């Protein structure tokens, strides 16, 4: 079997036995996979510092599809060194990685999500990222993975949303005052709906007003949790550390 070179972001690594390393990677060609780096804990020449989280690498793989791939070697394309120089940047980068891990199935390629992840890392390295940018990231991830929330009209009656609306997790959209029923509703003000709708059209603005920030924080992670049935641990860490 021929070895294949594939680009990937390292999501996490774990020890396997005395000498080997396991890695979870988000690859261009196959989506999220696990791979085994034989001798990875000892072979400094082949893997030294290359299999750390956030590194964008070109890996040389061998193995059967859908099984554990063998990672025979790796070259770094982008090291993203600055992501780990600052606590907030590191936690934000871990959050992006967690979103990829909970939102994308194994062996399901999503090249646009990988590009989004790389752009987000770039942005984190260059700029002053705030909580708002995490919400933008969540919104884009949801959209790329087919869960774009519908925020501009009532999803039940098609009516205008005067004075805000209620986001229904099960319907994936906002309902108006007349149509609101059920126990999975999250109240969103007119201002928040406007900001998030604009973002969905690619022209939203940050930073958010405090009210928008607070409502978006309650809404978007809850919507992700609804679809993935997974808790977002990094959010709790952020709350605890106040970043
Ligand atoms: Zn309605």
């Amino acid at each position: 079997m021929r070895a294949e070179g594939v680009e990937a972001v390292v999501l996490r690594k774990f020890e396997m036995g005395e000498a080997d390393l396991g890695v979870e990677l988000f690859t261009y060609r196959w989506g999220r996979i696990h791979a085994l780096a034989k001798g990875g804990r000892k072979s400094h020449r082949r893997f030294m510092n290359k299999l750390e989280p956030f590194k964008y690498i070109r890996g040389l793989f061998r193995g059967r599809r859908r099984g554990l791939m063998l990672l025979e070697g790796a070259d770094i394309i982008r090291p993203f060194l600055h992501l780990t120089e600052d606590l907030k940047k590191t936690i934000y980068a871990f959050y992006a990685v967690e979103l990829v891990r909970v939102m994308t199935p194994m062996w399901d390629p999503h090249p646009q999500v990988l590009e989004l992840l790389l752009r987000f890392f770039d942005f984190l390295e260059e700029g002053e990222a705030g909580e708002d940018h995490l919400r933008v990231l969540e919104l884009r991830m949801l959209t790329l993975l087919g869960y774009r929330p519908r925020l501009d009209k009532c999803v039940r009656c098609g009516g205008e949303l005067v004075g805000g609306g209620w986001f229904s997790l099960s319907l994936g959209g906002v309902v108006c005052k007349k149509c609101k029923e059920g126990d999975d509703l999250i109240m969103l003000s007119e201002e928040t709906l406007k900001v998030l709708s604009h973002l969905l059209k690619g022209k939203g603005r940050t930073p958010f007003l405090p009210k928008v920030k607070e409502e978006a924080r309650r809404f978007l992670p809850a919507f992700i949790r609804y679809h993935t049935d997974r808790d977002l641990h990094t959010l709790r860490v952020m709350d605890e550390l106040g970043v």
Side-chain angles (χ1 to χ4, degrees), residues 154-161 174-180:
C154 171
V155 291
R156 279 224 166 95
C157 72
E160 296 296 327
L161 299 163
V174 178
V175 292
C176 71
K177 194 167 185 175
K178 247 182 12 220
C179 300
K180 93 178 168 76

Side-chain angles (χ1 to χ4, degrees), residues 151-155 157-166 174-180 187-194:
L151 305 174
D152 47 352
K153 291 229 160 59
C154 171
V155 291
C157 72
E160 296 296 327
L161 299 163
V162 185
W166 287 262
V174 178
V175 292
C176 71
K177 194 167 185 175
K178 247 182 12 220
C179 300
K180 93 178 168 76
M187 161 73 195
L188 296 174
S189 65
E190 201 167 335
E191 183 62 29
T192 299
L193 286 174
K194 206 166 89 187

